[in-house]
Short mmCIF file of all heavy atoms in Angstrom, two decimals:
data_model
loop_
_atom_site.label_atom_id
_atom_site.label_comp_id
_atom_site.label_asym_id
_atom_site.label_seq_id
_atom_site.Cartn_x
_atom_site.Cartn_y
_atom_site.Cartn_z
N ALA A 221 37.43 -96.45 2.65
CA ALA A 221 38.44 -96.45 1.67
C ALA A 221 37.88 -95.84 0.36
O ALA A 221 38.67 -95.02 -0.22
CB ALA A 221 38.96 -97.84 1.41
N CYS A 222 36.69 -96.11 0.01
CA CYS A 222 36.05 -95.55 -1.22
C CYS A 222 36.01 -94.07 -0.98
O CYS A 222 36.22 -93.27 -2.05
CB CYS A 222 34.64 -96.07 -1.44
SG CYS A 222 34.66 -97.76 -2.00
N ARG A 223 35.47 -93.54 0.07
CA ARG A 223 35.46 -92.07 0.28
C ARG A 223 36.78 -91.42 0.13
O ARG A 223 36.93 -90.37 -0.39
CB ARG A 223 34.76 -91.81 1.71
CG ARG A 223 33.30 -92.07 1.65
CD ARG A 223 32.72 -91.30 2.75
NE ARG A 223 32.80 -92.16 4.03
CZ ARG A 223 32.16 -93.31 4.41
NH1 ARG A 223 31.17 -93.80 3.56
NH2 ARG A 223 32.46 -93.78 5.52
N GLY A 224 37.85 -92.20 0.67
CA GLY A 224 39.25 -91.65 0.59
C GLY A 224 39.58 -91.44 -0.93
O GLY A 224 40.07 -90.46 -1.38
N LEU A 225 39.20 -92.58 -1.71
CA LEU A 225 39.58 -92.49 -3.15
C LEU A 225 38.83 -91.54 -3.80
O LEU A 225 39.35 -90.84 -4.82
CB LEU A 225 39.16 -93.85 -3.67
CG LEU A 225 40.38 -94.87 -4.04
CD1 LEU A 225 39.76 -96.23 -4.17
CD2 LEU A 225 41.06 -94.37 -5.21
N SER A 226 37.50 -91.24 -3.36
CA SER A 226 36.72 -90.23 -4.01
C SER A 226 37.40 -88.85 -3.93
O SER A 226 37.30 -88.06 -4.87
CB SER A 226 35.30 -90.30 -3.63
OG SER A 226 35.17 -89.37 -2.58
N LYS A 227 38.00 -88.65 -2.81
CA LYS A 227 38.80 -87.32 -2.82
C LYS A 227 39.83 -87.23 -3.70
O LYS A 227 40.06 -86.19 -4.39
CB LYS A 227 39.42 -87.28 -1.24
CG LYS A 227 38.28 -86.91 -0.26
CD LYS A 227 38.85 -86.36 1.05
CE LYS A 227 37.79 -86.39 2.07
NZ LYS A 227 37.94 -87.39 3.04
N VAL A 228 40.63 -88.33 -3.83
CA VAL A 228 41.80 -88.21 -4.78
C VAL A 228 41.25 -88.12 -6.28
O VAL A 228 41.70 -87.22 -7.04
CB VAL A 228 42.62 -89.54 -4.76
CG1 VAL A 228 43.68 -89.62 -5.81
CG2 VAL A 228 43.05 -89.76 -3.37
N LEU A 229 40.16 -88.81 -6.53
CA LEU A 229 39.54 -88.70 -7.98
C LEU A 229 39.02 -87.20 -8.15
O LEU A 229 39.18 -86.79 -9.25
CB LEU A 229 38.47 -89.73 -8.17
CG LEU A 229 38.92 -91.24 -8.15
CD1 LEU A 229 37.64 -92.12 -8.60
CD2 LEU A 229 40.01 -91.54 -8.99
N ASP A 230 38.43 -86.83 -7.16
CA ASP A 230 37.90 -85.46 -7.20
C ASP A 230 39.05 -84.38 -7.52
O ASP A 230 38.82 -83.57 -8.39
CB ASP A 230 37.26 -85.10 -5.86
CG ASP A 230 36.29 -83.82 -5.95
OD1 ASP A 230 35.38 -83.84 -6.88
OD2 ASP A 230 36.52 -82.87 -5.23
N GLY A 231 40.14 -84.58 -6.93
CA GLY A 231 41.27 -83.65 -7.07
C GLY A 231 41.74 -83.81 -8.51
O GLY A 231 42.00 -82.84 -9.19
N VAL A 232 41.82 -84.99 -9.09
CA VAL A 232 42.30 -85.27 -10.34
C VAL A 232 41.32 -84.52 -11.42
O VAL A 232 41.80 -83.88 -12.23
CB VAL A 232 42.33 -86.74 -10.68
CG1 VAL A 232 42.65 -86.91 -12.15
CG2 VAL A 232 43.49 -87.46 -9.95
N VAL A 233 40.04 -84.74 -11.21
CA VAL A 233 39.04 -84.12 -12.03
C VAL A 233 39.09 -82.57 -12.02
O VAL A 233 39.19 -81.95 -13.17
CB VAL A 233 37.61 -84.62 -11.85
CG1 VAL A 233 36.58 -83.83 -12.68
CG2 VAL A 233 37.45 -86.07 -11.99
N ARG A 234 39.21 -82.03 -10.89
CA ARG A 234 39.29 -80.50 -10.77
C ARG A 234 40.54 -80.01 -11.38
O ARG A 234 40.55 -78.90 -12.18
CB ARG A 234 39.15 -80.19 -9.30
CG ARG A 234 37.74 -80.17 -8.86
CD ARG A 234 37.64 -79.85 -7.37
NE ARG A 234 36.39 -80.30 -6.92
CZ ARG A 234 35.22 -79.77 -6.92
NH1 ARG A 234 35.02 -78.77 -7.67
NH2 ARG A 234 34.09 -80.28 -6.43
N GLN A 235 41.67 -80.69 -11.18
CA GLN A 235 42.87 -80.23 -11.75
C GLN A 235 42.78 -80.28 -13.32
O GLN A 235 43.13 -79.35 -13.99
CB GLN A 235 44.02 -81.24 -11.36
CG GLN A 235 45.28 -81.04 -11.99
CD GLN A 235 46.12 -79.88 -11.30
OE1 GLN A 235 45.77 -79.51 -10.24
NE2 GLN A 235 47.12 -79.37 -12.04
#
Side-chain angles (χ1 to χ4, degrees):
Chain A
C222 288
R223 284 195 285 277
L225 255 166
S226 90
K227 285 202 192 98
V228 180
L229 297 190
D230 195 55
V232 172
V233 173
R234 281 182 202 277
Q235 173 82 16

